[in-house]
Amino acid sequence: DIEKATEIPMIGGVGHNRNAENLIVYNKPKSGVAESFRSLRSNLNFFTEGKDKKIFLITSSISGEGKTFSTINLATVLAFSGKKTLIVGADMRRPRLFGDFDLENKLGLSSVLSGQKKMSDVVQSTFIENLSLVSAGPVPPNPSELLMSDWMKIFIQDAMRSFDFIILDTPPIGLVTDA
């Protein structure tokens, strides 16, 4: 249906997750949903062939469509393949990504973009090998402006030096301009 209605290439499909947990690839690696993320990983490799470092931005039109779920599980299959992967909690309006990994949100992206911390100060290791997280950090009064700043360019450049994949988990594109 997507290919009929648009010129957007279809690179994968992920079925509905009936479980309340977001860590399906990690907790149920043989499930159909986990396999669909592996297929998505393979297809993304075809689209990005020849590029050593890759950045993917995950967004959707409204809340509740699976952005964080997709971010966590795509990042997990990338990390499982031996690639150093960084999830960036770029939804600074409603940070929650850190909770799935039992990590904290005291420092994060907002701390770096406001010039208070360096990237190395806010990267947290997860319990998944090769997977790290920069949480959103304290909720700032101006997330859109922080994301547009030169600090964001510097953050991405620094992250690209240390990681093979960067996955940005963003707010809905239909509601705010952050993504």
Side-chain angles (χ1 to χ4, degrees), residues 37-63:
F37 278 103
R38 284 187 188 87
S39 176
L40 180 58
R41 175 186 62 200
S42 297
N43 291 340
L44 284 171
N45 282 333
F46 282 115
F47 274 89
T48 60
E49 185 151 350
K51 295 183 179 166
D52 292 337
K53 307 283 185 164
K54 300 165 187 146
I55 301 174
F56 299 113
L57 183 143
I58 309 293
T59 193
S60 70
S61 57
I62 60 172
S63 294

Side-chain angles (χ1 to χ4, degrees), residues 135-154:
S135 66
V139 176
N142 57 342
S144 292
E145 289 74 17
L146 288 177
L147 290 166
M148 292 173 29
S149 72
D150 287 339
W151 287 108
M152 185 64 175
K153 292 175 192 172
I154 294 166

Side-chain angles (χ1 to χ4, degrees), residues 3 9 23 28 33 65-67 78 81-82 84 97 109 111 139 141 171 174 177-179:
E3 288 176 328
L23 292 161
K28 298 182 190 239
V33 172
E65 292 182 317
K67 291 173 290 301
L78 292 169
S81 71
K84 288 188 65 168
L97 184 63
L109 184 62
S111 309
V139 176
T177 61
D178 298 6

Side-chain angles (χ1 to χ4, degrees), residues 11 27 29-30 68 71 82 88 114 163:
I11 58 172
N27 290 326
K30 295 182 180 181
T68 298
T71 297
V88 178
S114 62
F163 295 93

Side-chain angles (χ1 to χ4, degrees), residues 100-160:
D100 289 300
F101 296 101
D102 294 323
L103 296 172
E104 295 185 345
N105 192 44
K106 292 179 183 173
L107 300 173
L109 184 62
S110 64
S111 309
V112 174
L113 301 185
S114 62
Q116 299 172 5
K117 296 290 178 185
K118 296 182 292 188
M119 186 189 92
S120 59
D121 297 329
V122 300
V123 174
Q124 301 179 69
S125 296
T126 71
F127 48 81
I128 299 171
E129 188 176 353
N130 296 314
L131 183 59
S132 299
L133 170 73
V134 171
S135 66
V139 176
N142 57 342
S144 292
E145 289 74 17
L146 288 177
L147 290 166
M148 292 173 29
S149 72
D150 287 339
W151 287 108
M152 185 64 175
K153 292 175 192 172
I154 294 166
F155 174 83
I156 294 294
Q157 290 169 351
D158 287 349
M160 293 296 285

Side-chain angles (χ1 to χ4, degrees), residues 18-34:
R18 300 203 189 288
N19 298 311
E21 64 181 307
N22 279 334
L23 292 161
I24 292 296
V25 169
Y26 182 77
N27 290 326
K28 298 182 190 239
K30 295 182 180 181
S31 68
V33 172

